[in-house]
Amino acid sequence: MRGVAIAREVSRSIRDCQLTHLARHPIDLERARRQHIGYITALTESGWEVLNLPEEPELPDSVFVEDTAVVLDGLAVLTHPGSESRRPEVKSIAIALSTLLPVASISSSAILDGGDVLVAGRRVFVGMSSRSNHAGASELAELAKPLGYEVEVVTVTSCLHLKSAVTAIDSDTLLINPKWVSPNLFEGYKHVEVHPDEPDGANCVDLGGTVLYGDAYPKTKRRIQAAGFDVTAIAMDELAKAEGAATCCSLLIPISFRSLV
Ligand code: GLY
């Protein structure tokens, strides 16, 4: 067992989701739910025990659990999401996380979405987006520092979250769209760049042993494979209409992170 993954079923109100950079297109709820089941199955088959919380009918974006917390080695930090409509999502995640890790919170005077926080080894990058600000990054830094993490603030453009532009393939390799975030900010890591035809393809999940990835980006997938990684590609295009990607749908708590409970 690699650890516990927290997820949540797709809300029946997902059609009313927040959209920042995408035009609104009808979302087929049943198709989105089938894709979410495919996601959960991929996690399970990769050795993760999935805690799939029941849907929140009144919270359209609540399948995107990533934004509600930042998971560190020995601490979960509950966020104060930048979008007011998403703040009620945190409560049930707090209950689930508190069974696994000590929990702390970002205050209501700051904003932070988990999608803006990239943890790669002991470095934590926080993207300044419409959903996260310097106060949020600063509070996260205070909480993370005693655990040995360094927090760095980075500029990101043209996308919702930092992790729309860059994610970790493993602890020292990043998948990156250089048009949305500067690769120079990530010295010390190996980089795999998205194919220019696939700007939305920078979001993947390191499941340990395989990389979970949307099947809409075959050219970038080949680049990840060429860098030596196994890729598990799944359909996520219906969920992508709600401006969510692979990392958005889970909070991963590796078994080693639970040692302080
Ligand atoms: N629809 C995802 C978000 O805007 O947070």
Side-chain angles (χ1 to χ4, degrees):
M1 213 261 281
R2 294 188 184 278
V4 176
I6 296 177
R8 175 152 43 211
E9 290 173 359
V10 178
S11 173
R12 67 192 65 187
S13 62
I14 191 171
R15 295 182 185 97
D16 301 322
C17 66
Q18 295 287 322
L19 291 176
T20 307
H21 292 273
L22 292 187
R24 194 169 294 278
H25 294 289
I27 296 175
D28 179 332
L29 175 61
E30 291 315 312
R31 189 160 183 269
R33 285 183 165 164
R34 279 198 299 279
Q35 292 187 351
H36 191 254
I37 290 168
Y39 182 93
I40 300 295
T41 302
L43 290 178
T44 305
E45 288 179 351
S46 300
W48 293 85
E49 180 187 330
V50 180
L51 180 54
N52 193 18
L53 301 176
E55 71 156 325
E56 292 272 12
E58 309 293 329
L59 300 177
D61 289 291
S62 54
V63 65
F64 302 130
V65 292
E66 170 185 58
D67 292 312
T68 61
V70 176
V71 176
L72 302 172
D73 186 354
L75 182 70
V77 180
L78 301 170
T79 63
H80 186 240
S83 168
E84 200 172 340
S85 73
R86 300 203 54 190
R87 291 177 188 158
E89 294 175 26
V90 177
K91 190 174 173 188
S92 51
I93 298 294
I95 294 167
L97 276 170
S98 64
T99 65
L100 302 167
L101 283 170
V103 169
S105 294
I106 298 297
S107 77
S108 59
S109 58
I111 56 170
L112 189 73
D113 272 15
D116 280 318
V117 182
L118 171 63
V119 180
R122 289 282 157 170
R123 289 169 73 187
V124 180
F125 300 91
V126 184
M128 293 296 99
S129 72
S130 60
R131 300 288 181 82
S132 300
N133 63 13
H134 282 274
S138 166
E139 289 191 20
L140 180 64
E142 285 291 307
L143 293 164
K145 197 171 176 187
L147 299 167
Y149 290 93
E150 285 292 328
V151 172
E152 303 171 44
V153 169
V154 298
T155 301
V156 62
T157 57
S158 309
C159 56
L160 178 58
H161 286 129
L162 177 63
K163 278 189 275 191
S164 315
V166 57
T167 50
I169 303 176
D170 69 5
S171 59
D172 56 11
T173 312
L174 304 180
L175 178 62
I176 188 163
N177 177 343
K179 294 209 167 133
W180 292 351
V181 69
S182 170
N184 297 335
L185 297 166
F186 305 98
E187 280 182 13
Y189 295 91
K190 290 175 264 180
H191 296 174
V192 176
E193 290 194 1
V194 296
H195 190 283
D197 293 346
E198 298 173 347
D200 295 321
N203 188 277
C204 69
V205 185
D206 170 17
L207 291 182
T210 192
V211 179
L212 185 60
Y213 193 52
D215 69 359
Y217 317 108
K219 295 174 182 173
T220 305
K221 176 185 160 189
R222 283 196 285 279
R223 290 184 173 192
I224 301 169
Q225 289 171 321
F229 297 94
D230 181 76
V231 178
T232 301
I234 60 167
M236 295 208 68
D237 55 300
E238 206 62 41
L239 291 162
K241 292 179 187 170
E243 215 166 357
T247 60
C248 308
C249 295
S250 58
L251 286 162
L252 299 183
I253 303 100
I255 203 156
S256 61
F257 281 18
R258 296 177 59 186
S259 58
L260 299 184
V261 177

